[in-house]
Amino acid sequence: MAPKFGTSGLRGLVTELTDDLVADHVRAFADACDTGGVLCVGRDLRPSSPEIATAVARAARSAGLRVIDCGEIPTPALALAARQHGGGAVMVTGSHIPADRNGLKFYARGGEITKEDEAAILAALDSVRPAAEHDDDVERDDQAGARFVSRYVSACGAEALSGKRIGLYSHSAVGRDHLAEILRALGAEVTELGRSDTFIPVDTEAVAPEVRQALSEWAAELGLDAIVSTDGDSDRPLLGDESGAVVPGDVLGQITAEMLGAETVVTPISSNSGVTDKGFEQVIRTRIGSPYVIAAMEEAGGRVVGYEANGGFLLGYEAQGPAGPLDALPTRDSVLPILMCLIAAGSGPVSLRVAGEPPVVTLADRLQEVPVEHSRALVERFRSSPSERATFLDGLDASEASVDLTDGVRMSLTDDRVVHVRPSGNAPELRLYVEARDRDSAHALLSRGLDQLRAAVGTGRPG
């Protein structure tokens, strides 16, 4: 996977993320985007992240920026720190992809970089200035994590989770200790599970079967009310109910939006369509990716929130939590949806609160190590040819009622199910999203759909 720059940042194999490549992108970012002359730097727990973070700081100093090292910290906590310092940020993380890869996430002073920022950075790469004389003076902000913890404790209150027994699947998530501190401060009894000194790539949107099995076994063995976790840089949530069953991220988003009294909800086309039945004043569907969600949130204004199918929640206004205010944080956050769903369950089981949502089940998975050009070619055939789509759907004993080409190919079927095929924007993966009215039907559709896609990729033809 050659390094690739996009709105999600720069990603690639660690062996190819050279100091010079990192420095070029950091200096291009400094030239093209408003940082207020300040750059906060954070990192996840991958073995390669400290060295890359050092290269980021050195490049930022050479670009004349004041650099603040926030250490090992969740991405949303780094974004919050950057807002508090009035500057930009770079998070060194590969998110949920394996440890042999890494990357950079860029934040301008106004928040996550936009598609316009992306274009400006790419243009600036062609004329990056040589490194200027500089010192390596880097400040430290050792309280950024503590302020992140305080944000939720003050908004939710010390008794918000009193009496709840919560399992924390720590693995190698950078925010594991922050999340444990928050849960305990809200009154929960927390049992840590699966802590690892070796990096484990956890995808909260396409949860691996072995992770689902572990959640189920932990829940049964320990009598837990819920199990919580995040991905590697802790901007995407993972919540299992009292049986360990994973609550989909978009359902977490629906519940959180309701708990916070949002009027407008912005979410990608891949999210659970049950949100349109929730009674919000406005629901806006976008292309997949936080830049599209953020752009639509900014255009909508008011009491607006956004979320993605992976559960990352974006708060676009000062909201009222159960015990106090929550400042806007329009970047993917994992903590808020976890807490709001647990609090919304009250004294009852999490599964009962989830069952109160509209009866729509979404599932997602992906084929890994699929060359990007193969994924894009297949999806392009689906986009341009109704007969190609019909052949693919024949293998699912289904037929198309309508198609949405907002992002990838989303096929609504005549029996109200949905099949959505899309190449990953930042990894060699082909993603499949499905929707049905019950879990068994959704699982069956996902399994058969993956088989069909596997055959299509392998043969160059669908079906």
Side-chain angles (χ1 to χ4, degrees), residues 71-246:
E72 295 172 346
I73 192 171
T75 294
L78 180 68
L80 179 65
R83 289 170 71 90
Q84 292 165 338
H85 285 290
V90 172
M91 179 69 181
V92 180
T93 180
S95 187
H96 62 281
I97 58 180
D100 64 341
R101 299 170 171 87
N102 212 327
L104 310 178
K105 289 183 178 179
F106 294 93
Y107 288 76
R109 186 159 61 164
E112 292 186 37
I113 60 171
T114 64
K115 299 302 288 185
E116 291 75 18
D117 292 330
E118 176 189 341
I121 293 169
L122 287 170
L125 277 172
D126 293 332
S127 56
V128 170
R129 293 174 296 174
E133 290 293 328
H134 67 284
D135 57 43
D136 291 326
D137 185 22
V138 173
E139 302 173 36
R140 287 192 59 86
D141 182 353
D142 295 322
Q143 297 303 309
R147 295 195 302 274
F148 185 66
V149 170
S150 178
R151 163 184 172 82
Y152 303 99
V153 177
S154 62
C156 296
E159 301 298 318
L161 299 179
S162 181
K164 290 191 180 293
R165 302 185 67 217
I166 308 297
L168 172 59
Y169 174 36
S170 297
H171 62 91
S172 53
V174 70
R176 56 193 179 183
D177 293 337
H178 301 91
L179 185 52
E181 187 176 351
I182 291 167
L183 293 169
R184 290 186 174 115
L186 299 182
E189 176 187 337
V190 178
T191 300
E192 188 175 28
L193 306 164
R195 191 180 185 94
S196 175
D197 293 329
T198 301
F199 187 82
I200 300 173
V202 173
D203 188 339
T204 65
E205 186 175 3
V207 182
E210 60 270 22
V211 173
R212 292 180 183 272
Q213 180 65 27
L215 297 178
S216 176
E217 291 174 356
W218 284 327
E221 176 185 350
L222 300 173
L224 301 170
D225 294 306
I227 301 176
V228 303
S229 189
T230 72
D231 65 339
D233 66 319
S234 296
D235 66 348
R236 304 179 182 190
L238 178 61
L239 174 64
D241 67 15
E242 69 282 358
S243 71
V246 174

Side-chain angles (χ1 to χ4, degrees), residues 19 61 69 108 124 140 149 185 188 212 216 231 233 271 291 359 365 368 371 449 452:
D19 286 359
R61 290 294 297 136
D69 179 10
R140 287 192 59 86
V149 170
R212 292 180 183 272
S216 176
D231 65 339
D233 66 319
S271 294
D365 206 339
Q368 296 178 285
Q452 287 292 104

Side-chain angles (χ1 to χ4, degrees), residues 177-178 192 233 255 278 324 329 340 372:
D177 293 337
H178 301 91
E192 188 175 28
D233 66 319
I255 293 172
K278 293 272 295 177
L329 186 59
M340 289 299 102
V372 172

Side-chain angles (χ1 to χ4, degrees), residues 226-418:
I227 301 176
V228 303
S229 189
T230 72
D231 65 339
D233 66 319
S234 296
D235 66 348
R236 304 179 182 190
L238 178 61
L239 174 64
D241 67 15
E242 69 282 358
S243 71
V246 174
V247 181
D250 42 17
V251 173
L252 291 178
Q254 295 173 188
I255 293 172
T256 304
E258 184 175 42
M259 284 287 288
L260 295 176
E263 295 173 350
T264 299
V265 172
V266 181
T267 193
I269 193 66
S270 59
S271 294
N272 190 307
S273 62
V275 66
T276 59
D277 299 327
K278 293 272 295 177
F280 296 110
E281 291 186 10
Q282 186 179 24
V283 175
I284 301 171
R285 309 299 291 271
T286 71
R287 293 184 63 184
I288 297 171
S290 56
Y292 301 108
V293 174
I294 291 169
M297 288 173 64
E298 291 176 345
E299 184 174 349
R303 297 176 65 85
V304 59
V305 300
Y307 62 84
E308 297 183 276
N310 58 43
F313 194 88
L314 303 94
L315 180 60
Y317 65 101
E318 183 179 301
Q320 183 64 35
L326 272 165
D327 289 340
L329 186 59
T331 191
R332 283 187 300 258
D333 179 16
S334 65
V335 176
L336 191 56
I338 287 173
L339 297 183
M340 289 299 102
C341 189
L342 292 174
I343 293 171
S347 59
V350 169
S351 62
L352 183 62
R353 177 61 187 85
V354 172
E357 292 300 291
V360 178
V361 177
T362 55
L363 296 174
D365 206 339
R366 80 279 197 209
L367 301 182
Q368 296 178 285
E369 303 304 329
V370 178
V372 172
E373 61 271 18
H374 292 184
S375 293
R376 289 179 176 171
L378 177 63
V379 173
E380 183 54 38
R381 293 204 307 273
F382 284 173
R383 288 178 63 91
S384 60
S385 173
S387 64
E388 294 272 10
R389 299 197 300 271
T391 301
F392 172 74
L393 293 176
D394 280 346
L396 303 177
D397 298 322
S399 57
E400 181 180 290
S402 63
V403 63
D404 188 321
L405 303 179
T406 299
D407 196 341
V409 179
R410 181 179 173 88
M411 295 163 272
S412 296
L413 310 182
T414 54
D415 57 6
D416 293 329
R417 295 180 298 166
V418 173

